[in-house]
Each structure stands twice: as C-alpha cells, then as structure tokens.
Amino acid sequence: MNLKVFLFVLCMSTVALAQSTDCACCSEAHRSFDFWVGEWEVTDNTGKLVGNNTIAKVQDGCVLQENWKNVSGKVTGTSLNFYNRNTGMWEQLWVDNSGSVLKLVGNRTGNEMILSSEDFKHSDGNTYQNRITWTKNTDGTVRQLWEIVKDQEVISVLFDGLYKRI
C-alpha cells in the first residue's frame, strides 16, 4: 500500500471513530429526560419552598446528575440518571447523606418520565413499589410525584413537588 492510500485510510478511520463516539448518547431516547435539566427551586404542593435542585448533563451528555439540597441545607442527595441502551430503559441511582439508596427503572410516556423500584417488603408484611413520575408541564415547570404503590394502586404520596427554573 502506498503512503497516500495509507494516510487516506487512516484519516477516514479517525473521522469515522470520532463521529461514532462524539454522539454516543444523542438518540431521542437519550434526550427524553432533558426536560429536567436545569437549576430549580422546588416547592411542595402548598407552594412552600422545600429545596433547590440542579440537574446537569455530564459524561459527554450521557448521564443526568442531580444534586439536591433541602431548604435547611441539612438533607442532600445525588442521583445519576441514564438511558441504558442494552435494556432500552432509563435508570436512576439515588444516594443521600443519610445513607438511603433508591434504584429506579422506567421510561418516558408522553410528557411523563415514570421510574419505579423493584418490589420491597414493608414491616407490615406487604410488598410495595416506589414510583416517581416527573411531568413536563406546558409552562416549563416540572412536577415530581413520588408514590408508594401496591398492585398498581397508590397507597400513599411521599412527595408532590413543583420545580420552577431559577
């Protein structure tokens, strides 16, 4: 192979590799939770400020990283959220400064991202799931609704908050 052909093949291979890695997470599925990206003030369902949350795209846009701080600054938490192309599902791993961990899986349907935990057994002997729904509202706000469900029936609401951009 002459030098010109070799350099041409090398150049084209490099361009192809750069194009394939530059956009590893650019699909519509990878962008389906982008409506949550931003700096937010979060209020409860009575309008009371409960904290601030920052959601940023990291790892070349492949991961949404959440950083939560409640109003007093005493409760903090971080989640990593990503579209798993192997399973075709969104996943979230939440960890906070009390040592609590929550793993969720799901997908976007319409204007809602709905993620649920695996079943867990409560001290009452019943099996439940955590289900968190983020709703993209037409005014640019995002509603986060955290429910405890049993057999798809809502048993209780742990959090009902509204995200407003700062």
Side-chain angles (χ1 to χ4, degrees):
M1 181 184 312
N2 75 32
L3 183 58
K4 286 182 182 179
V5 172
F6 174 76
L7 290 175
F8 177 77
V9 170
L10 179 63
C11 182
M12 290 294 102
S13 298
T14 303
V15 167
L17 179 61
Q19 288 175 340
S20 69
T21 58
D22 281 349
C23 211
C25 300
C26 293
S27 74
E28 187 175 326
H30 284 95
R31 293 187 307 269
S32 62
F33 208 0
D34 282 3
F35 68 85
W36 194 35
V37 172
E39 302 242 355
W40 306 92
E41 283 187 341
V42 183
T43 57
D44 64 16
N45 60 356
T46 69
K48 179 183 171 190
L49 181 66
V50 293
N52 291 299
N53 213 352
T54 301
I55 291 78
K57 291 183 89 163
V58 298
Q59 301 301 329
D60 296 327
C62 292
V63 177
L64 300 184
Q65 181 175 340
E66 171 187 18
N67 289 298
W68 164 260
K69 184 186 289 187
N70 79 340
V71 129
S72 72
K74 293 181 180 177
V75 178
T76 61
T78 298
S79 74
L80 297 176
N81 306 266
F82 62 95
Y83 178 74
N84 184 331
R85 70 177 118 195
N86 295 324
T87 63
M89 304 288 279
W90 271 86
E91 298 182 24
Q92 180 183 90
L93 174 60
W94 163 268
V95 182
D96 65 26
N97 65 339
S98 74
S100 294
V101 175
L102 184 61
K103 295 178 183 179
L104 305 169
V105 176
N107 265 316
R108 183 170 172 176
T109 302
N111 65 334
E112 295 182 328
M113 178 63 75
I114 304 168
L115 305 179
S116 299
S117 71
E118 291 185 355
D119 290 345
F120 65 91
K121 194 162 217 153
H122 191 267
S123 58
D124 65 7
N126 290 313
T127 301
Y128 301 95
Q129 271 187 329
N130 291 283
R131 180 174 66 200
I132 304 180
T133 303
W134 292 262
T135 303
K136 177 184 177 184
N137 297 318
T138 55
D139 64 0
T141 62
V142 174
R143 179 185 185 201
Q144 181 181 345
L145 180 63
W146 183 355
E147 301 165 306
I148 300 297
V149 296
K150 177 177 177 35
D151 302 322
Q152 298 303 311
E153 180 183 333
V154 176
I155 303 302
S156 66
V157 172
L158 294 183
F159 180 73
D160 189 355
L162 187 66
Y163 285 65
K164 296 177 186 173
R165 291 192 186 277
I166 296 177

